[in-house]
Structures are given as structure tokens and as C-alpha cells.
Amino acid sequence: MASSVGPEDRVAEARPRLMTRPLLLRFVTVVGSSASFFLLLSVVPVYAQSAPGGGSDKAGLVTGALMLATVAGELMAPWLAARCGCRVMLGAGLLLLGAPALALTVSRSLACIVTVCLVRGLGFAFTLVAGGALTASLIPPERRGEGLALIGVMAGVPSLVCLPLGAWLALHTGYGPVCWAAALIALVSLAAVPGLPGREAASGPPLGIFAGARSGALGRPTAVFAVTAVGAGIVVTFLPLAVAPGNSGVVAAALFIHPAAATASRWFAGRRADRRGAAGLMVPGLVASAAGILVVALTGVPVAVVVGAAVFGVGFGIAQSATITLMYSRVPASGYGTVSALWNVAYDAGMGIGAVGFGTVAGLTGYPWAFVLTAFLMLTALVPARWDLTAARKQRAMGREDQAVAEEGQR
């Protein structure tokens, strides 16, 4: 595991250039994969439910298949990327994400729909992990926080637009055009892949995903981010159910402001991390996330619901930026794929666990108390967050001592 001195200890006369042609091409693949995925995310469950022999259980089955394949793909992607290269994996992911969507225009059988979801889930996982590793290699270390935040914005905007757009298009044009659009967006973005860097020799031995998870340097940020992702899964799943039916406008506002606030705070947190270090951001991000969930517990007060969603979004964006920036800074290039996989697994698993667990608790306590309990549960992640901050400070202190010894030896 590589150690590095925090950004606050670096002295540079000029900040290196961030926007390069390869990074711009990477933006194309980010937008393509995100738009293709989210266009069909809410459409396919309805498509399965309305198919012959469909039902609400079929809708849940196809979404479950999609997310199961995504997590499985994230776990295997670092191993495959180490052997095939990240550029090949990214191209394969876009192909697997786009081409199977065309099968939905041919068959409406449940077997076909589930198979398509499984293949697309694998493809999306490959684009996340291999694409994340490529992104980290394209960004100067001095501007890693800002660059990763910018990638987050490029992925977040398509999700904001395409999730409701897919449902609207399906309602007004039918399922066929939406499937064609999702396929073409992913396949057209394949044109940007050849312009990305090919396979390069990475410094350091490969880092296995389980070895990375067991290490404190990666395990602590992963745990903190997974806990904040629990809150995200709860907000997007249960907020429409927890708020009174007459306040649908409040729910719409909250569900818009939550990702918008997360996108904005992720950008600012990334820039701050480049100047002051990312280690000190995890605790504020976690506390803000928990505070937002606690305010949302006032489900009968419309203003509280919107404000709580905004506060949670700010905290979640900070946690996103801080954890991913820290994790990439702690490994050599050979570990970028593992970092990308761990972070995305924490995201997906945290959201899934949050949705399932909250539903069980809410059935016993009601929604307001379930939100309160969730907020206090999230605060337990302050333990690994504080441990990580202490370890980072000790590491920086040791780095300063080593530098002072080296300078003394040169005199």
C-alpha cells in the first residue's frame, strides 16, 4: 500500500492542466454509460410488469437481477481489468450495456428481460470500475479531488435527466424508442474508447479487492461511504411513501434537491481536498448526512423534508468526494481498479441494504422513528472516520519528519 503526503504539504508553482483530450473523451463514455443505464432503469420494471404474465413481483425481479449483476461485475472487474486492460474493459462494458437493450424490442418474455438486465448490469459494472481506474490515471494527483468531482458531475447530470425522461418517453412514444435510444447512446460512445490510453505497465503489484477491503487505509473510507449510501437508498426509496399523499410536490422537490445538492457539494469538496487534504472532510460529510436524515424524520412538515433532503445531499456529496479521493491517493496505479470496485460496491450495497433494512424497521416503528434510528446508526461510522483522520495525521507527521531528516543529511 503506497503512502503519500497530503496535498497541503505539496508546494507547486503552478497547478497542472486538468482538461486534456483523453479526459474529454472519458467524459463522452461517462455520459454515454450513465445516460444508457438510467434511461431504462425505471422503464424496464414497468415493461416487465405489463408483459404477458407480468406483475409487481416481476418488476422487482428484473431490478434485483440488474443490481445483483452490477455488484457481481464490480467484484470481478479488477481481476479482468488487470488481465485485459482498462480500455478493453470499458469498451466491453459499453457494448454489453448497449447492445442487449435492442433485444427488448424483439421479445417481451420474462426470461429475455431478466437476461438483458443481467448482461446490462455486468456491462455497467465494467464501465464503472474500468472507467474509474482510467479516470484516476488521467487526472494529475495535485488536482485529483477536483477531477474526480468533475467526473461525478458528468455522471450525475445524465442520471437527473434520463431517469424521468425514460419514463416520459415510454409513456408518450412506447417502449421501443426508449430501448433504441438507450442502446444507441452506449454504442455511439464506443467511438471515444480508442482515443483513451492503452494498457500501460502499472507500478506496484496488483491489489486484490478483498485484500484492499481488509486494509485500514481503504477499508475505513469504504465503510464510511457505505453508511452514507445507506441514507441515500432510504431517501430515494421511502421518501415518497413516508410523506403524506397530498404533498407530492414536496416529495418531487426533495428528490430533486437531494442529488442537486450532492452534485454541487461534491464539486466544492473536491476542490477543497486538493488544497487542504481530503481526510478532514469525512467527518463533516458523515455528520451532515446524519443530520439531514434526522430532519427528514419530520415527515409531516414540508419545509423540514425539503431542508433535510438538501442537508443530506450536501453531506453525501462531501462524503463521496472525500472517500474516493482518499482511496485513490493511498494506492499505486495498479490498485486503481480495486479502489473503483470497492467504492462502487459500497455505493450499491449500501443503498440496497438501506432500502431493505429501513423497510423492516419502518414496519415496526413507523417512518419518523425509522428515520431517527437511521440517523443515529449512521453516526456509528464516526468511529472509523475518526480513526482514519488520526492515522492520516500521523502519516503526514512521519512524512514531515522523514523530509526533515533528508534535508538535514544534505547539509
Side-chain angles (χ1 to χ4, degrees):
M1 197 73 60
S3 61
S4 62
V5 179
E8 64 270 35
D9 296 317
R10 300 190 188 100
V11 178
E13 293 181 0
R15 301 179 76 198
R17 182 185 178 191
L18 178 61
M19 302 302 296
T20 60
R21 182 176 181 275
L23 188 60
L24 292 174
L25 291 174
R26 172 67 184 126
F27 287 167
V28 174
T29 63
V30 170
V31 172
S33 60
S34 182
S36 177
F37 181 81
F38 284 101
L39 264 177
L40 293 182
L41 184 59
S42 61
V43 170
V44 173
V46 180
Y47 184 70
Q49 188 174 357
S50 63
S56 59
D57 57 331
K58 304 302 187 294
L61 177 62
V62 298
T63 299
L66 177 70
M67 298 314 299
L68 177 65
T70 300
V71 173
E74 288 166 350
L75 292 174
M76 70 173 70
W79 182 85
L80 291 172
R83 284 149 182 80
C84 304
C86 289
R87 184 173 66 178
V88 171
M89 286 291 295
L90 177 59
L94 289 169
L95 182 64
L96 294 175
L97 186 61
L102 298 175
L104 295 176
T105 65
V106 178
S107 172
R108 296 193 68 179
S109 70
L110 183 62
C112 175
I113 296 173
V114 171
T115 301
V116 167
C117 288
L118 289 172
V119 177
R120 294 189 81 240
L122 283 176
F124 189 56
F126 292 169
T127 65
L128 291 175
V129 176
L134 264 176
T135 299
S137 68
L138 296 174
I139 299 172
E142 297 85 354
R143 302 188 70 177
R144 181 177 281 128
E146 182 181 0
L148 293 173
L150 187 57
I151 284 288
V153 172
M154 299 302 296
V157 171
S159 69
L160 283 172
V161 174
C162 292
L163 192 59
L165 179 62
W168 185 88
L169 286 173
L171 180 64
H172 291 86
T173 67
Y175 295 107
V178 186
C179 295
W180 273 97
L184 290 176
I185 288 172
L187 296 177
V188 168
S189 64
L190 272 168
V193 173
L196 295 171
R199 187 170 183 175
E200 299 177 357
S203 59
L207 176 64
I209 188 168
F210 295 106
R214 288 195 301 268
S215 70
L218 298 185
R220 291 187 296 263
T222 299
V224 171
F225 181 57
V227 170
T228 57
V230 164
I234 290 170
V235 167
V236 300
T237 304
F238 288 99
L239 199 59
L241 303 175
V243 176
N247 291 324
S248 58
V250 173
V251 173
L255 291 181
F256 174 80
I257 200 170
H258 150 55
T263 300
S265 65
R266 185 174 181 181
W267 167 260
F268 287 108
R271 291 177 61 86
R272 192 269 185 194
D274 289 337
R275 292 165 171 79
R276 302 286 300 278
L281 290 173
M282 276 205 299
V283 170
L286 181 59
V287 171
S289 298
I293 294 293
L294 191 60
V295 175
V296 168
L298 300 171
T299 55
V301 183
V303 174
V305 173
V306 175
V307 171
V311 173
F312 173 77
V314 169
F316 188 56
I318 293 172
Q320 283 180 302
S321 185
T323 51
I324 191 67
T325 302
L326 272 178
M327 292 168 71
Y328 275 125
S329 71
R330 292 173 175 177
V331 297
S334 58
Y336 286 170
T338 295
V339 165
S340 182
L342 282 173
W343 193 83
N344 282 291
V345 167
Y347 199 162
D348 296 331
M351 290 189 69
I353 291 171
V356 173
F358 186 88
T360 302
V361 173
L364 300 173
T365 66
Y367 289 117
W369 278 109
F371 279 115
V372 171
L373 292 174
T374 299
F376 284 103
L377 175 65
M378 291 172 65
L379 289 176
T380 61
L382 283 172
V383 176
R386 292 293 301 177
W387 285 350
D388 194 85
L389 182 58
T390 301
R393 287 172 175 169
K394 289 181 178 179
Q395 189 178 40
R396 286 198 299 269
M398 291 175 61
R400 293 191 188 98
E401 291 176 2
D402 292 342
Q403 183 179 4
V405 170
E407 291 175 352
E408 184 67 25
Q410 293 174 0
R411 291 172 183 163

